[in-house]
Amino acid sequence: MDDVLVTGLGALSPLGAGVDAFWRGMHAADTGPTRVPDPLAHMDHPLMYLVPEADLPDGPPERDGLPLGRGSQFALAAVREAVADAGLVAPPGPDMGPDTGPDAGPGAGPGAGPGALGGGVDPRRVAVALSTGMGDTDLHEGWWTGEAPASGRWAPAFPLASVVGGWLGAQGVNTCVSNACAASGYALSVGADLIRSGEADVVIAGGAEAYSRVALACFNRLGAIDPERCRPFAVERRGTVFGEGAAVLVLESATHARARGARTVYGRLAGAGWSCDAYHATAPEPSGEQIERAMREALREAGTGAEVGTVSGTGSGGLGFVIPHGTGTELNDVVESRVLGALTPRTPLYSVKALIGHTGGAAGAFAALAASLVLHHKTLPPNVPVGERDPECGVPLPSGSAPMTGAYGLVNAYAFGGNNISLVFGEAAA
C-alpha cells in the first residue's frame, strides 16, 4: 500500500498568518485569549483566541456571486499557502499582476480558478476534504441582526470545500466534514483513504473555524468556558476557550510525490482509528473504552505496536509525542489522561489548545499541523504553562523544548456525539 505523505502545509491562526508564524509561536509558548470585538456578545465570558486583525484575509467577499464568510476566507488563505508550499500552484511570475497566482482571490485572473493546478498535476485526481463546525455562520448571524453582506444574497453555511475546489480547479472528490470537534481529524482520515483506495493522488485536507456569536454563547450557557484561558490538565481548569483559524495539509501518494519531484516531505499519515462512544450527546464515556480503541487502531495501522505500555519508546522507532484532545473540560481531560497513562506511559504531550484555544472543527487539523512540524524539525516545543496540574491527569507536559526521540506522533480529536478519531503521523522515509 502506497504511503500517504504530507507535502504541503498552510495555516492562519491566532499566532498570525503562515506556518512559520505558527512554528515560532509554538516555541514562544506565550499566548492568551482576548475579548471578542462584538458589541452583541452579551455573555459571561466573551473570550476567544482570535486571528490578529493585521493578519485577517482581505476577502474575497464572494465566490460566483455568493457571499463568503470568515470561515471560507480563512480556509482559502491556508489552502493558498499549502498548495504553494507543495509546489502544486506556480508562484506568480514577474509579469503577473497582483490579482493572479496562488495569492489571488477566487475568479481573479489566469492564476486562479479552473486550471490553477500546475506541475502537470491531473485535476481529476485532486480531491478536497475540509471540515468546519460553524462554517460561514457569521454571515447568517449578520442577517439576523440586520448586517447582511453588500450583495444581499443568501449563501450556504458550509461552502468551504466547494469554494476551495472551485478556486483550485480540483475535479476529484469534494466533501465538507462537520461532525463537531473531531471533524478535521476525520477529513484527514478520509483524505488518506481516498489516496490508499486509488481514488485520488492528492487531497487538500484540513479545517477552518471562525468566531461565531451563537457557538460562544451556547458554550457560555453550558458553563463550559474558562474565565481566564484554555488550561488543559490544570487543577484550576474551568472549561475550554475557543480559538479560530485554519490549518491545511496537502496529502499525496508517495508514488505521485516522487514522480513530480515534490520538494518537501514533512512526514506521512501512517495510521488512523475511528470509534464512537454511543453514550451521551455531549459527555465522554467515563471508562474511555472507545477512545482507547481508536488510539490502538491508529497505532496498529501505523505499525508502532499497540499493546499496553509498549508503544512509548525513546528509540528511533517508538512513539515520540502525543498531541491530545485535552480541551480543559473536567471529565474530558481526566478520561484521556487515564487512557494515555495506560497506553503510552511516559510519552510527552504537547497541548495545541493551551497555545491557541479549542478551534472546534479545525482542532484536529491544527494538531496534525503541529505534529507534522515536530516531525519535520525533530523538536518538541515547550508547552504553554497551565498552572498547577490536576493529580488525576498524570500525563507529562514538558515545560522546555526537547529533541524528538521517537519516529511517530499520536494525534487525538474527540467530539460531541461521542465521535473519536486518532491519527498517527510518522517521519518521512529516507
Side-chain angles (χ1 to χ4, degrees), residues 304 311-321 405-409:
T304 63
V311 298
S312 176
T314 57
S316 61
L319 186 65
F321 62 94
T405 55
Y408 296 92

Side-chain angles (χ1 to χ4, degrees), residues 60-170:
E62 60 180 42
R63 167 74 185 177
D64 294 332
L66 294 178
L68 294 184
R70 198 173 170 109
S72 289
Q73 292 171 354
F74 286 1
L76 279 166
V79 167
R80 289 171 188 151
E81 181 184 21
V83 295
D85 183 37
L88 295 176
V89 179
D95 59 339
M96 296 177 70
D99 295 329
T100 60
D103 294 324
L117 289 164
V121 177
D122 184 350
R124 298 169 299 179
R125 305 282 301 165
V126 178
V128 177
L130 294 177
S131 68
T132 183
M134 299 302 292
D136 284 352
T137 304
D138 60 314
L139 291 179
H140 295 256
E141 293 174 359
W143 283 317
W144 300 336
T145 56
E147 299 174 1
S151 70
R153 292 189 61 184
W154 177 90
F158 296 95
L160 278 68
S162 62
V163 167
V164 166
W167 171 74
L168 192 58

Side-chain angles (χ1 to χ4, degrees), residues 44-45 216-227 238-240 329:
D44 291 339
H45 305 302
L216 188 54
C218 286
F219 270 70
N220 268 270
R221 290 294 297 272
L222 286 170
I225 297 294
D226 192 297
R238 292 172 59 187
T240 196
T329 52

Side-chain angles (χ1 to χ4, degrees), residues 70 84 105-106 113 116 119 140 148 150 156 162 195-196 250 283 291 328 347 373 394 403 405:
R70 198 173 170 109
H140 295 256
S162 62
I195 290 171
R196 289 174 179 143
V250 175
I291 67 171
T347 302
L373 289 171
T405 55

